[in-house]
Amino acid sequence: MEGLCINPDQHFQTLDDLLTRYTEPHREYHNLAHINTLLELLSPIPEQPVFDLELAVWFHDALYDTTQQNNEEQ
């Protein structure tokens, strides 16, 4: 979060928001187990810090509305 210049007071608020999103009852696949699997699969790419990859994993499915077709764009 510091790398994103997010106010330290908001670190836990952002994490709380992500955890809430990934535990929504309508999520069958894009849930915390999915995030955990992806984090376990991360292997550092020399040109890209792991930090960037971890953020991509955490935020890639944060918005997931089963009634919409534009989740990836959102």
Side-chain angles (χ1 to χ4, degrees), residues 30-57:
H30 298 104
N31 53 32
L32 284 177
H34 174 66
I35 297 300
N36 187 57
T37 298
L38 293 176
L39 290 172
E40 287 177 349
L41 291 172
L42 279 184
S43 58
I45 298 172
E47 305 84 40
Q48 190 169 21
V50 173
F51 168 79
D52 292 348
L53 297 173
E54 288 175 355
L55 283 177
V57 166

Side-chain angles (χ1 to χ4, degrees), residues 3-62:
L4 292 174
C5 298
I6 293 177
N7 181 327
D9 296 332
Q10 293 179 313
H11 289 189
F12 288 109
Q13 180 181 353
T14 301
L15 179 59
D16 248 4
D17 181 54
L18 287 169
L19 292 174
T20 297
R21 290 173 184 270
Y22 284 111
T23 57
E24 293 169 330
H26 67 275
R27 292 177 179 258
E28 294 181 25
Y29 176 74
H30 298 104
N31 53 32
L32 284 177
H34 174 66
I35 297 300
N36 187 57
T37 298
L38 293 176
L39 290 172
E40 287 177 349
L41 291 172
L42 279 184
S43 58
I45 298 172
E47 305 84 40
Q48 190 169 21
V50 173
F51 168 79
D52 292 348
L53 297 173
E54 288 175 355
L55 283 177
V57 166
W58 273 105
F59 286 94
H60 85 282
D61 285 319

